[in-house]
Amino acid sequence: MTQCCFLRVYLFFWFQSFHHRMALGLCPQVLCSLGGWLSLYISFCRLNKHRSYEWNCRLVTFTHGVLSIGLSAYIGFVDGPWPFTHPGSPNTPLQVHVLCLTLGYFIFDLGCIWRFAWKKSIKKYHAWRSRRREERQLKRHGHLKTR
């Protein structure tokens, strides 16, 4: 019984350290990807001085969409493995690079959302919450309470 528990604890910590080492190896790739998206954004801002910063951010989003679709199609149809015949197979290095590229873009996009759409998002969230509250009251009582 104690050997089994010892083995479980050993495997747990080995597995955790493996994921920790793997994550540390992927962090520089994600940071390089983020730097690439930021430099593309800065380049668009310098090329399109007459456009707003949000418009240039949307250009980066469009570029990411085209690049992601192209790379995903290449991985799925050409490089392999075919996801319908080999589901759950280990990731190829190209898949990991595309994942890091996309994660870097996600961090860039999150920054753009905080920068350009924060107030709009808060307003939309509060409007959605108030509508949900009214709908719940209608479902419970059949009418809205007036204040």
Side-chain angles (χ1 to χ4, degrees):
M1 181 74 175
T2 58
Q3 289 177 346
C4 182
C5 291
F6 175 75
L7 183 62
R8 284 183 187 168
V9 169
Y10 176 75
L11 286 175
F12 174 77
F13 283 113
W14 179 84
F15 190 69
Q16 291 297 328
S17 68
F18 175 74
H19 279 295
H20 182 68
R21 287 178 298 187
M22 190 170 71
L24 285 178
L26 295 178
C27 283
Q29 290 182 23
V30 173
L31 290 175
C32 286
S33 170
L34 176 62
W37 293 115
L38 283 171
S39 63
L40 183 65
Y41 172 71
I42 291 169
S43 300
F44 281 149
C45 286
R46 288 185 180 165
L47 287 173
N48 303 313
K49 292 181 182 180
H50 60 283
R51 299 285 189 174
S52 69
Y53 293 118
E54 187 177 359
W55 190 83
N56 292 315
C57 185
R58 290 180 184 190
L59 267 181
V60 174
T61 301
F62 175 75
T63 306
H64 170 260
V66 169
L67 190 64
S68 295
I69 289 171
L71 287 172
S72 297
Y74 175 77
I75 289 171
F77 296 119
V78 178
D79 192 45
W82 182 249
F84 297 116
T85 58
H86 296 88
S89 60
N91 291 335
T92 64
L94 182 60
Q95 289 173 333
V96 172
H97 291 308
V98 171
L99 174 72
C100 290
L101 183 76
T102 304
L103 186 57
Y105 171 76
F106 174 75
I107 296 169
F108 168 80
D109 193 43
L110 191 61
C112 285
I113 288 171
W114 281 346
R115 171 69 175 97
F116 299 117
W118 182 252
K119 291 181 182 176
K120 294 177 192 174
S121 298
I122 295 295
K123 288 178 185 177
K124 288 178 184 177
Y125 173 74
H126 284 295
W128 176 79
R129 289 289 298 163
S130 66
R131 281 194 306 266
R132 289 290 300 150
R133 192 176 311 119
E134 290 173 359
E135 288 174 6
R136 268 190 264 130
Q137 287 178 353
L138 278 173
K139 286 180 182 176
R140 286 184 191 153
H141 307 296
H143 62 283
L144 286 175
K145 292 181 182 178
T146 58
R147 294 182 186 192

